[in-house]
Amino acid sequence: MIRYIVRRILFLIPVLAGVAFCVFTLLYLTPGDPAKMVLGEMATERAIQEFREREGLDKPFLMQFANYVYKAVTRGDIGRSYVTKRPVMDEILAAFPATLKLAAFAIVIAIIIGLPCGILSAIKQYSIFDTAAMIFAMIGLSMPVFWLGLLLILLFSVHLRWLPPSGFDTFQAMILPSLALSAQSISMITRMTRSSMLEVIRADYIRTARSKGQKESVVIWRHALHNALIPVVTLCGLQFGQLLSGAILTESIFAIPGVGRLMVDSIKARDYPVVQGGVLFVAVAFSLVNLLVDLLYAYIDPRIKAQYK
């Protein structure tokens, strides 16, 4: 098991290197001069040249990338913000708790709603509940997050005035952004749970359990659900990783000071070090979530655990 964990962690190195190179290349090719964006259009040519020399922007592309990787590996330094002059890691760590809280609330809501809906849809296949659940799942999967967020603000904040339209400091303020962000995850978890449950409840061992006189609740919750959870756990882990990186629009709409909003503001200001650091941070978080999901398999399915021994 330890060897498996170490091997998966080592696999993260080429993934992060590839992400860093792609982001660095895209930002390097993006039109616009960071020096002019930071110093302003009225800045003199000498000031712009000094800024480019100080930040290493006058060097060739490969040399800039090599210098960035060297500082990140040897010092843990992923740059300093052009705008605030603070280390990028400090900027990201200050904004990450809000993003983590938003993603955690969203995935909890998605599991609480999506898992029971998927189970009931599979048990009551082709019923009115199953049809309604699949219709709502399709709508939630197709609806853009930013549009749903605006609709929720118009309904619950403008017309009904039940919930605040922005902020993330109170429990009431967390409801609307969490619902908006969790809509697609609810739909995907519902559909995956239904599909997995339908496949499991038709298996031979389920018919054997029923023929032995087991209660239907025991057959569903102890035998069927336990084996149907494996693909659902995978989906929940992937969705949580996507929620960490997909909260950009939600944070912008609801004015949440998270990593997503920080990256949007940095892109507008051509603050390249913050953008690069933010993308790398999200990539690391996504990879660690996937690693934790793989480790959970061993506790859900004994067959997987036996392979590591």
Side-chain angles (χ1 to χ4, degrees):
M1 194 70 173
I2 301 298
R3 291 174 57 190
Y4 173 76
I5 297 174
V6 173
R7 185 172 56 187
R8 286 301 306 271
I9 293 176
L10 291 177
F11 283 162
L12 295 180
I13 297 176
V15 172
L16 296 179
V19 171
F21 182 78
C22 292
V23 176
F24 201 92
T25 303
L26 290 175
L27 293 178
Y28 182 82
L29 298 176
T30 300
D33 190 353
K36 292 182 179 180
M37 292 293 298
V38 175
L39 300 178
E41 295 294 336
M42 303 300 295
T44 62
E45 289 295 330
R46 182 174 181 179
I48 293 176
Q49 185 63 28
E50 291 178 352
F51 179 88
R52 293 179 60 85
E53 293 177 357
R54 183 172 64 252
E55 300 297 336
L57 299 176
D58 57 333
K59 298 178 181 178
F61 168 74
L62 292 179
M63 188 175 297
Q64 291 185 35
F65 179 71
N67 188 36
Y68 179 80
V69 173
Y70 175 77
K71 290 182 178 179
V73 173
T74 59
R75 309 176 193 171
D77 180 13
I78 55 176
R80 186 176 292 270
S81 172
Y82 293 158
V83 179
T84 63
K85 308 303 180 182
R86 295 179 58 195
V88 172
M89 186 58 69
D90 293 346
E91 295 275 352
I92 295 174
L93 292 179
F96 183 67
T99 300
L100 180 62
K101 185 165 64 172
L102 175 60
F105 269 88
I107 196 63
V108 168
I109 292 174
I111 293 174
I112 291 176
I113 298 177
L115 196 62
C117 288
I119 295 172
L120 292 176
S121 295
I123 296 173
K124 303 179 181 297
Q125 188 181 15
Y126 303 132
S127 64
I128 296 177
F129 178 84
D130 182 27
T131 303
M134 290 301 99
I135 291 175
F136 281 107
M138 184 62 66
I139 293 174
L141 194 61
S142 306
M143 188 177 299
V145 176
F146 68 91
W147 187 61
L148 178 59
L150 293 176
L151 290 181
L152 292 175
I153 292 175
L154 288 175
L155 177 61
F156 292 101
S157 300
V158 178
H159 294 291
L160 299 178
R161 297 186 179 182
W162 289 353
L163 299 170
S166 62
F168 208 61
D169 298 329
T170 62
F171 178 76
Q172 289 79 7
M174 292 187 291
I175 296 177
L176 290 185
S178 299
L179 285 176
L181 188 61
S182 64
Q184 293 186 355
S185 298
I186 292 173
S187 302
M188 297 187 68
I189 292 175
T190 299
R191 290 163 61 89
M192 177 61 73
T193 304
R194 179 182 182 273
S195 177
S196 183
M197 282 291 295
L198 286 175
E199 183 178 353
V200 170
I201 61 179
R202 294 167 181 166
D204 293 337
Y205 68 90
I206 297 296
R207 287 194 291 267
T208 303
R210 285 171 175 162
S211 65
K212 289 182 178 181
Q214 291 280 0
K215 294 181 179 180
E216 187 65 18
S217 60
V218 175
V219 172
I220 295 298
W221 296 103
R222 181 176 298 178
H223 298 287
L225 182 61
H226 192 75
N227 292 295
L229 275 181
I230 295 178
V232 178
V233 169
T234 304
L235 179 62
C236 291
L238 293 175
Q239 284 299 303
F240 182 67
Q242 290 181 2
L243 292 177
L244 288 173
S245 58
I248 296 177
L249 293 176
T250 306
E251 291 177 358
S252 300
I253 292 172
F254 292 94
I256 299 174
V259 176
R261 188 179 177 188
L262 174 66
M263 292 179 63
V264 170
D265 295 338
S266 301
I267 292 172
K268 293 178 181 178
R270 293 291 196 275
D271 198 351
Y272 291 165
V274 177
V275 178
Q276 294 168 3
V279 174
L280 281 177
F281 192 84
V282 171
V284 171
F286 192 90
S287 301
L288 291 178
V289 169
N290 288 336
L291 176 61
L292 292 177
V293 170
D294 290 342
L295 296 180
L296 281 176
Y297 285 168
Y299 297 95
I300 297 176
D301 192 347
R303 296 171 298 180
I304 299 177
K305 188 176 182 179
Q307 297 176 0
Y308 298 144
K309 291 184 179 180

